Amino acid sequence: MSRQEMDLLGWDSCDVILVTGDAYVDHPSFGMAVIGRTLEAHGFRVGIIAQPDWTSAEAFKELGRPNLYFGVTAGNMDSLVNNYTADKRIRTDDNYTPDAAPGKRPDRAVLVYSQRCREAFPDAPIVLGGIEASLRRIAHYDHWSEKVRRSVLIDSKADVLLYGNAERAIIDVTHRIAQGDNARDLFDIRGLALVRNDNAPDYREIDMTSIDDAPERASRGDEEQVIRLPSYETVRDDKEVYAQASRILHLESNPGNARPLVQRHGDRDVWVTPPPIPLTTKEMDWVFDHPYARAPHPFYGDARIPAWEMIRFSVNIMRGCFGGCTFCSITEHEGRIIQSRSQESIVREIEDMRDKVPGFTGQVSDLGGPTANMYRMACKDPEIEKSCRRLSCVYPTICKNLNTDHKPLIDLYRAARGTDGVKKVSISSGLRYDLAVESPEYVEELVTHHVGGYLKIAPEHTEDGPLTKMMKPGIGSYDRFKEMFDAAAAKAGKKYFLIPYFIAAHPGCTDEDMMNLALWLKKNGYRADQVQTFTPTPMAMATAMYYSGRNPLKPVRRAGTERVETAKGLRQRRLHKAFLRYHDAENWPLLREALKEMGREDLIGNGKHHLIPRWQPAGTGKAGGEGRRRAGGPAKAGAPGRPAGWKLPHRPAEMDRETSGRPTDRAGGKRKSNAARRRSHTG
């Protein structure tokens, strides 16, 4: 991280310099640490510039010119998610920064960092990676500027973009650049996006630029094929075409059958190679077995880094998710195929944590990942998996070819809690309950040994309208799981509670749907402080619904395409959030007005069967439950971490859902305030 450290190592220069928007924590949950240690294992000298002052190029010169390239990432989370809420309010903290200080990274960090790297060393190649770049690899709708933006590769003027889990790609790219290859000619490597001014040789182009003429499934021959998507200019100007382009992208996401994609931007093409082949268990073990210090860099001294403290005693056991929830970014980034570590590697990490990390008391806070219970699950037939084009393995029903055996996970739990020095292993990652009900033994094991008072799960809604647009199971699956959960808790002699999470204002969700959800919450005795509002994020299927008003889960045509209505205005979005917090007196005036407009004044009254009362506590209801907002314009001079004269540009907050307060169940149990952001956002 400094010239002094380079001198101690005897380095006169770095081969690769990684620029990141996060504080440097040498832990396998932090992307820059994984990439840095992976490159180090291949003999490359890696420098890290963490959270540099972006107002000039000076901080980007700290380690000198890299011999090979700058690697640029916004960090584990999107810079705009870190900086802003879904309603464009400035966040007061950043969990990936020492002492959670705000303002330590710029908006659209990938663009800003790339510009400063180019200013510092104009001839140094730039390679983009991480979640912010990955989800902007093609033309995409940007909610906060309310327009379709170009590929971030074009706007950043970088040489290469790596998307998804990029360990294998970064190794190939680095060796090829070291051998003298031009970074812009590496289109034979999977998981890349690059700019080309001419057609690639030996590829037959499949034209899918027309809605009605393009085939839903282009036939595959022996020759190499590339899919031509509608151009940036076309998807920018035609919402229906945007929806169809989104559908094509997702249908071409299986590494076993996906073809390269090409999209015109002006006079240049953005070429996107097929998704990376998932890492094998042996490769996953290799990545996680690097000699991580499992701690923040000593540069930070005693400063607190909340994101590090959250995962300090947790272990990531797998990657990927085959749920395919339309609002979530995991599938677009990590893919649908589960990549699992071996039990031996996971136990080694627990032992490493026990021996290295100060403050370990025998409590493992989580064994999980994007989900808690997809460990080692896969298609029963590899050949079927290679040819499959389903958008989800569990919706509308669990695929008959999916292996849902929880025994490897049960064995892992037992091995983990049997490790010397371990007293308790908790499961904090989100549980996929429609899979859990397939294994009563797993539910009993989980409840008996790994639940500490409450368990979070995510039905997301109770009504079929929004659930079909989310690709989530009906509320009946939740009811079945709750029965099994309660029975297992009673058998164990425990009093445990489920904490269900829900989304407001999702595409396909009406005011009536939210009203019915509120009635369900009241009937079941829930008064959740958790408020999760749908945020349109780049490349997500639900974002295509939000922007285009069409349903890309089905073929999109000029005539007959299913329309999707979405709450877009601030008042309606506030109303949907207010239904989730029906018990909050600040929301009652808004709810009363809405219920009257809906013809449901029968739900207003002072009886137990009413949703909200007629009376209003003194001094409440004036703000409608909303704080002060700022949508844009100049920031105040001297704001924390921002220099005088700095202006607030357009900001697309993405990746996740807005949270408010600390979620509680009816028993008063609490969980970490930023866990909802972690659920659908991964580095």
Side-chain angles (χ1 to χ4, degrees):
M1 283 186 67
S2 68
R3 279 284 185 178
Q4 291 77 12
E5 287 181 294
M6 290 173 63
D7 292 340
L8 288 172
L9 292 167
W11 296 1
D12 58 349
S13 62
C14 294
D15 296 318
V16 176
I17 296 177
L18 304 179
V19 181
T20 175
D22 293 339
Y24 176 35
V25 179
D26 192 30
H27 186 281
S29 290
F30 287 76
M32 91 291 290
V34 172
I35 295 300
R37 290 295 187 184
T38 296
L39 291 174
E40 178 189 48
H42 275 255
F44 296 104
R45 295 174 294 183
V46 182
I48 292 181
I49 300 177
Q51 297 188 320
D53 176 4
W54 71 89
T55 57
S56 76
E58 291 307 308
F60 297 78
K61 299 177 182 178
E62 172 70 18
L63 303 181
R65 184 195 184 281
N67 298 327
L68 301 180
Y69 61 83
F70 278 107
V72 173
T73 174
N76 269 22
M77 289 179 64
D78 184 274
S79 60
L80 290 129
V81 174
N82 274 281
N83 291 348
Y84 299 91
T85 71
D87 289 331
K88 301 181 183 179
R89 290 179 292 178
I90 297 175
R91 293 195 190 275
T92 58
D93 58 6
D94 181 341
N95 289 330
Y96 290 86
T97 299
D99 293 325
K104 295 298 183 182
R105 76 184 78 218
D107 299 336
R108 307 188 189 281
V110 164
L111 300 183
V112 177
Y113 290 160
S114 296
Q115 178 182 354
R116 293 294 183 249
C117 288
R118 193 68 80 197
E119 290 176 11
F121 299 101
D123 62 334
I126 296 174
V127 177
L128 306 183
I131 192 78
E132 183 171 299
S134 181
L135 299 187
R136 292 173 171 81
R137 55 189 182 264
I138 64 170
H140 55 279
Y141 173 67
D142 184 297
H143 174 53
W144 297 97
S145 58
E146 297 185 356
K147 64 180 182 180
V148 174
R149 292 178 66 95
R150 299 186 299 181
S151 165
V152 72
L153 187 60
I154 295 286
D155 287 342
S156 68
K157 298 181 174 61
D159 297 273
V160 180
L161 182 154
L162 308 187
Y163 70 89
N165 296 133
E167 288 91 352
R168 193 183 287 116
I170 197 71
I171 291 169
D172 291 343
V173 166
T174 308
H175 280 291
R176 292 276 291 275
I177 293 177
Q179 293 167 9
D181 289 1
N182 189 314
R184 300 191 179 213
D185 292 334
L186 304 180
F187 63 91
D188 56 325
I189 298 176
R190 282 177 169 263
L192 301 190
L194 8 79
V195 176
R196 294 185 62 86
N197 295 321
D198 56 349
N199 293 329
D202 304 324
Y203 279 85
R204 183 170 73 87
E205 191 173 285
I206 306 297
D207 189 349
M208 290 196 177
T209 60
S210 171
I211 286 185
D212 291 320
D213 296 335
E216 176 70 12
R217 297 186 180 186
S219 60
R220 299 186 67 97
D222 294 333
E223 78 282 2
E224 295 289 344
Q225 298 178 351
V226 58
I227 302 282
R228 177 159 295 277
L229 295 172
S231 70
Y232 155 70
E233 290 79 9
T234 304
V235 298
R236 178 195 63 192
D237 298 335
D238 191 323
K239 293 182 178 181
E240 212 149 28
V241 175
Y242 182 95
Q244 175 66 356
S246 176
R247 177 172 174 80
I248 295 169
L249 173 75
H250 286 81
L251 288 175
E252 295 291 333
S253 62
N254 182 348
N257 59 50
R259 289 159 288 190
L261 305 174
V262 62
Q263 185 177 53
R264 199 73 170 168
H265 288 64
D267 59 353
R268 293 173 291 174
D269 280 336
V270 172
W271 180 285
V272 182
T273 65
I277 299 296
L279 298 183
T280 64
T281 295
K282 184 177 180 180
E283 289 173 318
M284 284 283 286
D285 289 353
W286 179 78
V287 168
F288 281 87
D289 285 348
H290 293 322
Y292 301 100
R294 302 192 65 85
H297 191 279
F299 169 81
Y300 303 113
D302 295 330
R304 293 180 57 254
I305 301 177
W308 145 245
E309 293 181 347
M310 177 180 291
I311 55 84
R312 189 177 185 179
F313 303 121
S314 69
V315 177
N316 194 326
I317 65 174
M318 44 77 70
R319 290 177 179 170
C321 179
F322 49 68
C325 300
T326 62
F327 52 81
C328 183
S329 64
I330 293 171
T331 296
E332 284 81 8
H333 187 60
E334 295 194 4
R336 292 183 178 83
I337 298 176
I338 303 303
Q339 304 165 71
S340 300
R341 299 170 62 186
S342 70
Q343 179 176 298
E344 294 75 18
S345 173
I346 294 166
V347 171
R348 280 198 302 273
E349 183 172 350
I350 294 174
E351 293 171 340
D352 197 40
M353 181 170 64
R354 175 198 65 196
D355 299 337
K356 275 187 179 179
V357 182
F360 182 72
T361 62
Q363 306 287 324
V364 177
S365 62
D366 188 27
L367 291 181
T371 60
N373 61 318
M374 289 186 182
Y375 180 71
R376 291 202 172 280
M377 291 188 183
C379 188
K380 296 176 182 178
D381 187 334
E383 292 305 313
I384 293 177
E385 181 180 73
K386 288 180 181 179
S387 62
C388 182
R389 289 168 66 91
R390 280 184 62 153
L391 298 175
S392 170
C393 298
V394 291
Y395 182 86
T397 59
I398 296 176
C399 178
K400 63 181 181 180
N401 296 309
L402 179 65
N403 170 25
T404 61
D405 184 12
H406 283 70
K407 190 175 186 310
L409 188 55
I410 295 172
D411 291 343
L412 174 61
Y413 287 175
R414 292 171 179 172
R417 66 176 187 263
T419 302
D420 187 39
V422 172
K423 299 176 182 177
K424 173 78 174 180
V425 177
S426 299
I427 303 303
S428 302
S429 294
L431 186 77
R432 189 76 195 203
Y433 57 87
D434 51 344
L435 288 173
V437 296
E438 299 292 311
S439 176
E441 181 186 4
Y442 171 74
V443 176
E444 186 169 323
E445 185 83 13
L446 176 74
V447 174
T448 303
H449 299 286
H450 302 284
V451 174
Y454 60 88
L455 180 71
K456 64 178 184 286
I457 59 174
E460 309 297 9
H461 219 287
T462 58
E463 306 305 296
D464 289 341
L467 286 173
T468 59
K469 303 304 181 292
M470 297 175 183
M471 291 208 299
K472 291 285 288 187
I475 197 65
S477 293
Y478 166 83
D479 293 334
R480 289 193 295 276
F481 177 76
K482 187 176 186 306
E483 290 177 5
M484 297 173 68
F485 179 88
D486 290 343
K491 183 177 179 180
K494 306 289 186 179
K495 190 173 184 180
Y496 290 152
F497 299 93
L498 288 178
I499 303 179
Y501 295 105
F502 300 94
I503 299 178
H506 192 277
C509 183
T510 65
D511 296 352
E512 288 75 16
D513 290 329
M514 291 306 302
M515 177 191 71
N516 290 332
L517 172 53
L519 292 171
W520 184 93
L521 289 170
K522 182 165 187 179
K523 177 183 176 182
N524 287 276
Y526 287 111
R527 291 191 170 192
D529 286 337
Q530 181 80 5
V531 178
Q532 303 180 68
T533 305
F534 169 72
T535 304
T537 62
M539 291 180 58
M541 289 287 253
T543 299
M545 298 179 200
Y546 177 92
Y547 172 62
S548 70
R550 278 77 172 175
N551 182 9
L553 297 177
K554 301 177 180 179
V556 179
R557 297 290 182 261
R558 289 294 183 192
T561 301
E562 181 183 352
R563 299 297 177 117
V564 180
E565 298 298 324
T566 306
K568 292 186 177 180
L570 182 59
R571 181 186 181 278
Q572 192 178 17
R573 286 170 66 86
R574 284 180 174 177
L575 173 63
H576 283 207
K577 289 195 290 185
F579 272 122
L580 278 178
R581 302 192 70 245
Y582 67 92
H583 56 281
D584 186 346
E586 293 292 344
N587 294 320
W588 291 348
L590 179 61
L591 290 174
R592 287 193 201 100
E593 181 183 354
L595 289 172
K596 290 176 182 178
E597 292 175 357
M598 295 163 64
R600 294 305 308 268
E601 197 169 353
D602 58 301
L603 295 177
I604 306 172
N606 301 327
K608 290 184 178 181
H609 62 286
H610 294 114
L611 183 62
I612 56 173
R614 295 189 182 278
W615 59 278
Q616 187 73 32
T620 64
K622 295 181 180 180
E626 293 288 327
R628 182 174 62 87
R629 299 174 65 253
R630 181 162 66 219
K636 290 184 178 179
R642 296 186 173 116
W646 181 82
K647 290 181 179 293
L648 178 70
H650 288 297
R651 48 189 62 272
E654 32 224 299
M655 299 333 298
D656 224 289
R657 293 166 259 176
E658 171 59 6
T659 62
S660 175
R662 297 179 70 85
T664 62
D665 62 18
R666 53 186 170 181
K670 294 185 178 180
R671 73 179 191 122
K672 294 164 182 157
S673 61
N674 62 349
R677 273 186 276 169
R678 294 177 63 237
R679 284 177 52 222
S680 64
H681 193 103
T682 182

